[in-house]
Amino acid sequence: VIATNGDGSKLKAELIDRKVLAKPQDLIEEGKIRIVESRRALALSNIPQDHIYFLSFPDRELNELLLEHWEKPKTSKTTGVNQAYYEGSYKQGSLYTGRNLLDMLKEVISSTTPTIIVTHNPYDTHADHRTVYKFINLAVNELSERGVVERPKIYSFIVHKDAFEYPRPLRFDPRAPLYPPRKLKNICNWFVYPLSDSVVKLKFQEIKIQ
């Protein structure tokens, strides 16, 4: 389940893809690229295309859906659209509201009945990541309390924390251990899931896709 298509990064559009003063349409094109790249990468892991859910909600603006736009549609600051615009979205045309995002997550969880959910960590410094965690918990709490699904285990991972501490090493070094951020070491219960050499190689191939 991919909540946003990364269409809020003007820096990437302007520096990497060389769009001078990126316009809304340029950012929409970035979102389309992210969908293609994600499908290609997940195909390497033999994930069926109908197992991939692009919700296509506004990048870097999910917290506003939770706090200010639960019912009233939000217009993205970067793309200028207020709905799941992209072809191939789980529910193309759905308005950007917190309720719609929650309903989509409940539908996916109800239909797939996962026993484990792996999602973002609530201490991540990226606001979207923290908000995804909150929405996942809202969905799981409601569905389990209503008896729709058995409560799955929820595990989380950190992407962004202190830029000067995590992640380290700040280079490609597949054999180096990745320790949790120091400030979170005793706050969260951490688990290690060792990867085989073949899986590390596969992940590297997926990351290189563009």
Side-chain angles (χ1 to χ4, degrees):
V1 178
I2 301 173
T4 79
N5 296 333
D7 53 15
S9 178
K10 288 187 177 181
L11 184 64
K12 178 184 181 300
E14 292 173 355
L15 295 184
I16 299 178
D17 294 333
R18 301 180 181 180
K19 304 287 188 180
V20 180
L21 298 178
K23 301 176 180 62
Q25 188 57 43
D26 296 325
L27 276 299
I28 289 174
E29 291 303 317
E30 290 295 319
K32 292 178 181 178
I33 290 172
R34 291 288 187 95
I35 291 177
V36 172
E37 290 176 342
S38 297
R39 289 194 183 280
R40 288 177 179 170
L42 293 170
L44 290 180
S45 291
N46 297 316
I47 304 297
Q49 292 298 303
D50 62 356
H51 284 41
I52 307 170
Y53 300 86
F54 293 98
L55 306 188
S56 299
F57 274 74
D59 186 37
R60 303 172 186 246
E61 301 178 50
L62 296 186
N63 197 48
E64 294 177 45
L65 300 184
L66 185 66
L67 300 178
E68 303 171 25
H69 291 270
W70 190 253
E71 299 283 357
K72 180 182 177 181
K74 172 171 179 49
T75 299
S76 170
K77 298 169 186 169
T78 53
T79 64
V81 300
N82 67 351
Q83 60 184 269
Y85 176 85
Y86 300 92
E87 183 176 350
S89 299
Y90 175 57
K91 286 196 170 180
Q92 188 173 2
S94 292
L95 295 172
Y96 289 159
T97 68
R99 181 174 295 281
N100 281 345
L101 177 53
L102 179 62
D103 286 345
M104 287 185 195
L105 290 172
K106 289 191 296 184
E107 288 178 14
V108 173
I109 294 171
S110 298
S111 63
T112 59
T113 61
T115 56
I116 293 174
I117 293 177
V118 182
T119 187
H120 291 285
N121 187 280
Y123 294 102
D124 198 298
T125 54
H126 195 300
D128 272 0
H129 296 175
R130 298 193 302 272
T131 305
V132 165
Y133 178 86
K134 294 174 184 177
F135 270 102
I136 288 290
N137 275 272
L138 285 172
V140 167
N141 288 342
E142 180 178 335
L143 293 174
S144 60
E145 288 172 4
R146 288 167 44 203
V148 177
V149 298
E150 292 287 332
R151 177 178 289 274
K153 292 182 179 179
I154 299 179
Y155 295 99
S156 64
F157 55 87
I158 286 280
V159 178
H160 304 284
K161 193 53 183 172
D162 188 335
F164 297 101
E165 179 193 348
Y166 182 90
R168 288 292 181 272
L170 196 60
R171 64 182 184 277
F172 179 66
D173 191 350
R175 296 192 178 279
L178 179 63
Y179 297 111
R182 182 178 53 190
K183 295 177 182 178
L184 299 183
K185 188 174 181 180
N186 298 318
I187 294 178
C188 304
N189 294 319
W190 296 94
F191 298 88
V192 175
Y193 188 83
L195 302 179
S196 66
D197 289 343
S198 61
V199 171
V200 171
K201 182 179 179 181
L202 175 63
K203 286 173 66 66
F204 184 53
Q205 292 173 337
E206 291 172 335
I207 291 170
K208 286 171 60 179
I209 283 180
Q210 48 180 295

